[in-house]
Amino acid sequence: MKTNTKYTLIATTLFIAGQAYAENKTLINCVSRSPASFSPALVMEGISYNASSQQVYNRLVEFKRGSTEIEPALAESWHISDDGLTYTFNLRKGVKFHSNKLFKPTRDFNADDVLFSFLRQLDKAHPYHSVSKGTYPYFNAMKFPALLKAIEKVDDYKVKITLTRPDATFLASLGMDFISIYSAEYADKMSAAGKPETIDTQPIGTGPFVFSGYQLDQKIRFLANENYWKEKAGIDRLIFEIVPDAATRYAKLKAGSCDIIDFPNVADLEKMKTDPKINLLSQSGLNIAYVAFNTEKAPFDQVKVRQALNYAVDKKAILDAVYRGGGIVAKNPLPPTIWGYNNDITDYEYNPEKAKQLLKEAGFEEGFETKIWVQPVVRASNPNPRRMAELIQADWEKVGVKAELISYDWGDYIKRTKAGELTAGTYGWSGDNGDPDNFLSPLLGGSNIGNSNYARFKNDELDALLEKATTLSDKKEREKLYQQAQVIIKEQAPWINIAHSIGFAPTSKRVKNYKQSPFGYSYFYGTEIVDSEK
């Protein structure tokens, strides 16, 4: 029989192409919204970190996958002086930066990149300080401008950082996303081209994935870094598909067009637990959902009013309606999974009569009118901010406080909050380094009014405790101070602590070795994709 060589070649080519496609391991991560930025120094939110620092960048030290424990990264080792003021980092050699159409690195990572990444945020005279309207919210929230005395290049692979005072949190803080290491050479080239902001929109790092493109509000694409200093990722291509509706994300996961989704509807969790196509991972979160009172504005400048509205809220009803088994009632700003948690504190009970009595003592026997700001996005700490706010609104009305619900788009919401326009509103926070200070100082420290202290709360006794705690190396002594701090916060009631959520990660059966971050982030290095039929 005569063989048709032409069609044999076509069939062989298609077979080989099909094999190549099957072997190309692509993970599709369906996410709820677009990142605010691809530059981790510029923002203070997990969605942006997931799309930038968690995939594209490295830091001097990093957290072990799925842990709060620090391990070496771009710094192979370090030495801390006896007085706790000087940190000397020995940098890793042979680390390659990524390339893109605009930039091809001519050298490996070195000390110049560390200095650039720190000094851009620290030095107001630095040529990149004001690029992309940089305000460096987390750098400031962690009080780095006051903490960092000097950053010096000892040689190409050694950097010395000197602090103004000892800080027990400093090393862990260096593992946080905001202090990711950028390429100084890339910055210089983009500045010379008259487009310095390019480093913030087309990120170049040393991390496991290379940023390869963004379709606005549709997709973000990454490729595995072939020259990664550890070893190449087990995923060849990583795609973030932006799917705002949670029900649609779930449907796409079931259909096989997503491999992992964020922020599932809590109403769908029971179905997911028994769905044969899905693995539902869960982990207690280092987070807090809360209502912040603007303590500078009447009537919330009165502690009795703030205490009254704590008594007025039925937290268990909120847990049942909003979290549906995916959270626990919060009595402290710290979650119970973090050291330093004060379990001896007695929470405000649900007691409308006590609330009315306190309002009467504060001069509001007939109640008052106010506003509740409603967080416009779902975050790890709060699966349904609108429903939570509605329940709080109804509870407050029972004690004579009539609250109008208002909201703004996310960027405007935070901008207006920082400017002090807030009356009272729903907010959330996830810890980023496993230290109690990472909750208490950014969120309630007086130096962070106008930044991440949305309640604009200032208490000298609290500030002194927090300041002292960071200077101590003895963990037990620090723990005592944080427990005292929580007593002050309970009494002063700048917030209503609502809930600590459980983090859920629904994945397809193709996803193997994915580890949830205790900080609520999505880090895909170490994750693998396998043929679900095998």
Side-chain angles (χ1 to χ4, degrees):
M1 183 174 70
K2 190 174 181 180
T3 302
N4 190 322
T5 307
K6 175 182 176 182
Y7 289 106
T8 301
L9 286 171
I10 290 173
T12 302
T13 301
L14 288 172
F15 176 75
I16 293 171
Q19 271 195 321
Y21 180 79
E23 291 169 2
N24 189 294
K25 298 182 184 299
T26 299
L27 185 146
I28 300 176
N29 175 32
C30 286
V31 299
S32 58
R33 61 184 171 89
S34 301
S37 174
F38 289 102
S39 187
L42 299 179
V43 290
M44 200 174 186
E45 59 125 26
I47 294 286
S48 294
Y49 293 157
N50 288 342
S52 60
S53 38
Q54 290 293 306
Q55 323 304 333
V56 175
Y57 290 97
N58 290 118
R59 289 148 290 285
L60 290 176
V61 299
E62 293 179 354
F63 297 100
K64 289 183 179 179
R65 202 162 69 102
S67 167
T68 60
E69 185 181 349
I70 283 289
E71 65 180 358
L74 292 181
E76 284 187 312
S77 62
W78 51 88
H79 176 264
I80 306 172
S81 63
D82 291 341
D83 61 8
L85 294 177
T86 302
Y87 290 67
T88 303
F89 294 93
N90 299 305
L91 305 182
R92 191 176 299 276
K93 296 179 180 179
V95 176
K96 311 292 183 186
F97 275 103
H98 307 158
S99 300
N100 62 22
K101 292 179 181 179
L102 299 172
F103 172 70
K104 308 293 180 192
T106 64
R107 62 164 177 81
D108 290 349
F109 154 78
N110 67 26
D112 292 333
D113 306 303
V114 178
L115 264 64
F116 170 83
S117 303
F118 278 78
L119 293 176
R120 176 191 182 180
Q121 300 186 66
L122 177 65
D123 182 4
K124 292 181 180 179
H126 191 277
Y128 254 86
H129 184 76
S130 298
V131 168
S132 303
K133 299 179 180 178
T135 57
Y136 314 109
Y138 222 148
F139 189 86
N140 291 315
M142 297 302 291
K143 297 183 277 193
F144 269 33
L147 180 63
L148 298 177
K149 182 178 180 180
I151 303 161
E152 303 167 82
K153 174 182 175 179
V154 178
D155 60 39
D156 280 349
Y157 290 97
K158 185 173 289 188
V159 170
K160 184 170 72 173
I161 300 177
T162 305
L163 308 184
T164 57
R165 56 176 175 76
D167 189 317
T169 71
F170 182 62
L171 196 59
S173 296
L174 294 184
M176 294 167 63
D177 296 67
F178 74 90
I179 204 66
S180 295
I181 304 302
Y182 294 65
S183 165
E185 186 185 15
Y186 182 37
D188 288 343
K189 182 164 184 180
M190 293 303 97
S191 183
K195 298 179 179 179
E197 68 283 350
T198 304
I199 73 164
D200 298 317
T201 59
Q202 298 185 44
I204 289 282
T206 58
F209 294 97
V210 178
F211 175 82
S212 65
Y214 174 44
Q215 293 170 268
L216 182 64
D217 296 332
Q218 295 182 53
K219 285 183 172 67
I220 311 164
R221 299 179 185 275
F222 307 88
L223 298 172
N225 180 2
E226 299 285 346
N227 300 308
Y228 191 42
W229 54 270
K230 290 185 179 179
E231 60 182 31
K232 184 176 175 287
I235 299 165
D236 295 318
R237 295 186 298 180
L238 176 62
I239 298 171
F240 283 27
E241 184 173 342
I242 297 155
V243 184
D245 181 66
T248 304
R249 291 197 296 277
Y250 181 25
K252 290 173 75 68
L253 180 64
K254 289 197 293 184
S257 55
C258 291
D259 293 301
I260 184 168
I261 64 173
D262 68 2
F263 305 139
N265 273 331
V266 290
D268 293 329
L269 292 175
E270 288 304 314
K271 288 182 285 185
M272 289 180 179
K273 289 176 183 177
T274 57
D275 193 321
K277 295 182 178 180
I278 291 172
N279 287 327
L280 181 63
L281 307 179
S282 65
Q283 178 174 280
S284 296
L286 285 172
N287 60 51
I288 175 74
Y290 64 97
V291 171
F293 300 113
N294 187 336
T295 59
E296 293 180 346
K297 278 188 177 180
F300 302 122
D301 57 346
Q302 295 191 48
V303 67
K304 285 188 176 181
V305 171
R306 303 194 300 264
Q307 291 173 341
L309 294 181
N310 267 272
Y311 281 114
V313 172
D314 186 347
K315 296 184 189 179
K316 185 181 183 304
I318 291 175
L319 261 289
D320 291 343
V322 175
Y323 290 83
R324 298 192 183 188
I328 60 172
V329 166
K331 66 179 180 180
N332 294 316
L334 295 181
T337 49
I338 202 168
W339 65 271
Y341 181 80
N342 190 339
N343 199 38
D344 292 334
I345 285 177
T346 300
D347 196 13
Y348 289 96
E349 63 181 333
Y350 175 51
N351 189 333
E353 293 307 313
K354 177 70 171 177
K356 290 177 184 178
Q357 179 60 37
L358 285 169
L359 287 172
K360 180 179 179 180
E361 291 174 16
F364 294 98
E365 186 174 2
E366 302 301 319
F368 58 88
E369 294 184 1
T370 188
K371 293 180 173 63
I372 298 176
W373 290 28
V374 183
Q375 180 180 298
V377 295
V378 170
R379 302 183 76 192
S381 56
N382 191 339
N384 193 336
R386 170 64 59 171
R387 183 66 182 134
M388 180 184 288
E390 289 170 348
L391 291 168
I392 294 168
Q393 178 189 41
D395 283 344
W396 285 5
E397 188 165 3
K398 293 172 187 174
V399 298
V401 176
K402 296 182 179 179
E404 176 190 359
L405 302 186
I406 64 168
S407 193
Y408 306 93
D409 69 70
W410 183 229
D412 202 26
Y413 190 85
I414 296 301
K415 183 179 179 181
R416 287 172 178 265
T417 299
K418 289 181 178 181
E421 295 180 28
L422 170 71
T423 47
T426 59
Y427 296 89
W429 180 266
S430 294
D432 292 301
N433 68 8
D435 194 284
D437 182 75
N438 184 239
F439 281 80
L440 302 181
S441 287
L443 298 175
L444 292 162
S447 64
N448 276 311
I449 292 173
N451 190 14
S452 48
N453 180 347
Y454 298 155
R456 305 181 78 83
F457 179 63
K458 182 76 171 71
N459 181 280
D460 292 341
E461 185 182 359
L462 175 67
D463 288 342
L465 285 171
L466 297 180
E467 188 76 15
K468 183 178 179 181
T470 60
T471 66
L472 301 177
S473 57
D474 187 317
K475 188 174 179 179
K476 288 184 178 179
E477 290 302 311
R478 294 186 68 208
E479 190 164 34
K480 291 178 185 176
L481 297 180
Y482 290 131
Q483 289 177 344
Q484 291 175 39
Q486 289 164 81
V487 172
I488 294 170
I489 293 164
K490 158 68 189 305
E491 293 171 349
Q492 292 297 308
W495 291 359
I496 303 174
N497 300 305
I498 302 291
H500 307 292
S501 76
I502 295 170
F504 292 97
T507 79
S508 72
K509 297 289 187 178
R510 299 174 66 235
V511 177
K512 302 297 180 184
N513 298 325
Y514 177 76
K515 287 192 176 182
Q516 288 181 275
S517 162
F519 310 119
Y521 297 145
S522 299
Y523 176 65
F524 290 107
Y525 184 72
T527 302
E528 298 175 54
I529 289 288
V530 300
D531 186 342
S532 60
E533 298 302 317
K534 291 182 180 179

